[in-house]
Amino acid sequence: MTRNGNNLNCADFQARLPELIASGEDVSSHPHLQTCELCRALLADLETIAEAARQLFPSVEPPDEVWEHIESAIKKEKK
Ligand SMILES: [Zn+2]
């Protein structure tokens, strides 16, 4: 089954998935996921992988001093 009630099929949804995630949208509330168990499972897998990656490569997180720079830059901006 590749079609659901919406006009978006699984291939279309999955093609747009990286874009949706990158845009910071709440992908889990996407209408396609309300009707498609397959893509819900896929998204759950992706989230598991992303979570595992964060634990395996914590060094990709910016160090604290980077955040301090950002914070002070924002504070200056607001004056
Ligand atoms: Zn689907």
Side-chain angles (χ1 to χ4, degrees), residues 14-29:
Q14 286 168 26
R16 288 186 57 200
L17 195 52
E19 192 187 314
L20 288 168
I21 291 170
S23 71
E25 264 182 67
D26 186 8
V27 183
S28 60
S29 68

Side-chain angles (χ1 to χ4, degrees), residues 22-43:
S23 71
E25 264 182 67
D26 186 8
V27 183
S28 60
S29 68
H30 192 282
H32 182 76
L33 293 177
Q34 311 306 312
T35 54
C36 184
E37 213 172 305
L38 201 78
C39 290
R40 266 207 303 273
L42 179 83
L43 182 65

